[in-house]
Amino acid sequence: PDPKSGLYIEDRKGVVHHVRYPPDCLAFQIGESSQVMSGGLLRATPHSVASAEGPAAKGVCRNTFAVFMQPMWNQTLDPEGAGKTTEEVGVARWEPGIDFGTFTERKLQDYY
């Protein structure tokens, strides 16, 4: 397939990397809710996927199976370890005591 196709992630310094992993492995993306609930231990990663193009794309398809795991809409997003700050958690739209619904609405406003 097209060598430019595949998963791209942005590291914490803002550098984009083309990620490759063995064919017998799975890749997982961690979302911001997991980052909040882990107190910043796990980190959400901005990412994108580039499709194959040109002759290299012939006969190649991309399949995705997305599973979104989230708390109840009114669940308070309290990270592990009491007293975590927004800076420690690393998600600007989160604040102590916020519920998942409000957090999600803020996130959607940021992107749309």
Side-chain angles (χ1 to χ4, degrees), residues 37-75:
M37 296 303 284
S38 73
L41 178 65
L42 301 175
R43 294 290 173 150
T45 308
H47 65 283
S48 64
V49 176
S51 299
E53 295 180 351
K58 184 172 180 162
V60 175
C61 66
R62 175 179 176 259
N63 295 305
T64 301
F65 181 69
V67 177
F68 294 93
M69 296 167 50
Q70 63 191 40
M72 299 293 289
W73 197 252
N74 62 350
Q75 173 71 42

Side-chain angles (χ1 to χ4, degrees), residues 7-51:
L7 176 64
Y8 288 80
I9 64 166
E10 183 179 320
D11 69 21
R12 294 179 190 148
K13 295 178 182 176
V15 178
V16 176
H17 302 272
H18 188 190
V19 179
R20 301 209 180 265
Y21 48 92
D24 60 342
C25 293
L26 292 173
F28 292 90
Q29 280 299 123
I30 299 296
E32 287 185 338
S33 294
S34 295
Q35 182 170 334
V36 169
M37 296 303 284
S38 73
L41 178 65
L42 301 175
R43 294 290 173 150
T45 308
H47 65 283
S48 64
V49 176
S51 299

